[in-house]
Amino acid sequence: MTTIRVWQGDITQLEVDAIVNAANSSLLGGGGVDGAIHRAAGPELLACCRQLGGCPTGEARITPGFRLPARHVIHTVGPVWRGGDHGEADLLASCYRNSLRLAEENGLLGIAFPAISCGIYGYPHEAAARIAIAELHAARSAGSPLREMILVSFSADMAELYQRLLP
Ligand code: APR
């Protein structure tokens, strides 16, 4: 049975099979959680990402975690919030779905997600949280082999939001 839980803190410290990176389409690093993950993983991560040739919004790519406690990093590119009528909701849902699929295809048992698009990309937090929870529940209902799905919040209010919305 898959457990879905909320954890507040720095995702780079989690020792899980995979942490998800809220990247940009170049996959060449950035600020926010992308910057934190690259700093903690070390330069080999960037060298590895250079080989991937980027990633379209909504899709996901997997790399080793290098110096991170996490064995893998699943890089996904969330949508930039542009008001809500540019397919943002579907693209954000695809980020979660494609990241889960990659984890399952690689036989991983645990995955941790940051709040994709909820920082620099400006996605409204409650709408994003609802999408994240819906996708994790859908994967669990579909019999995902993943044992643990963690929603990581960097701030207390994001943690409270997740806890309020998780049934
Ligand atoms: N651990 C967990 N969560 C974090 C961490 C961290 N170390 N650092 C930031 N966050 C949280 C933010 O508080 C936010 O809730 O991750 C969420 C996503 O915010 P961003 O990192 O800004 O990502 P996003 O909004 O998807 O924007 C992506 O930012 O860093 C660049 O290269 C990245 O261009 C891309 C864009």
Side-chain angles (χ1 to χ4, degrees):
M1 183 64 184
T2 308
T3 59
I4 298 174
R5 67 187 177 89
V6 180
W7 182 80
Q8 183 181 342
D10 176 355
I11 199 168
T12 64
Q13 294 172 7
L14 281 181
E15 190 171 350
V16 287
D17 285 342
I19 59 170
V20 175
N21 180 20
N24 60 62
S25 54
S26 74
L27 294 187
L28 299 180
V33 70
D34 196 3
I37 287 174
H38 275 273
R39 273 192 299 280
E44 299 99 325
L45 179 59
L46 181 57
C48 181
C49 286
R50 284 194 200 289
Q51 311 300 320
L52 298 177
C55 179
T57 300
E59 293 189 23
R61 301 288 186 272
I62 190 167
T63 68
F66 297 109
R67 299 177 194 175
L68 283 162
R71 285 172 46 217
H72 302 274
V73 180
I74 291 177
H75 307 262
T76 192
V77 181
V80 175
W81 178 255
R82 294 191 291 156
D85 48 7
H86 294 78
E88 294 97 322
D90 290 341
L91 285 166
L92 184 60
S94 298
C95 287
Y96 285 94
R97 230 179 359 261
N98 287 325
S99 298
L100 289 163
R101 181 178 47 75
L102 258 185
E104 292 164 355
E105 285 171 0
N106 285 273
L108 308 189
L109 294 178
I111 187 168
F113 290 91
I116 301 164
S117 287
C118 290
I120 293 166
Y121 280 2
Y123 211 107
H125 292 182
E126 178 151 351
R130 288 184 186 281
I131 288 169
I133 290 166
E135 289 306 320
L136 269 53
H137 277 136
R140 179 168 63 178
S141 307
S144 169
L146 282 161
R147 289 275 160 275
E148 184 177 45
M149 303 174 183
I150 305 170
L151 289 168
V152 178
S153 52
F154 208 40
S155 65
D157 55 12
M158 196 73 205
E160 282 152 24
L161 182 57
Y162 278 139
Q163 292 290 13
R164 177 160 59 82
L165 296 173
L166 267 178

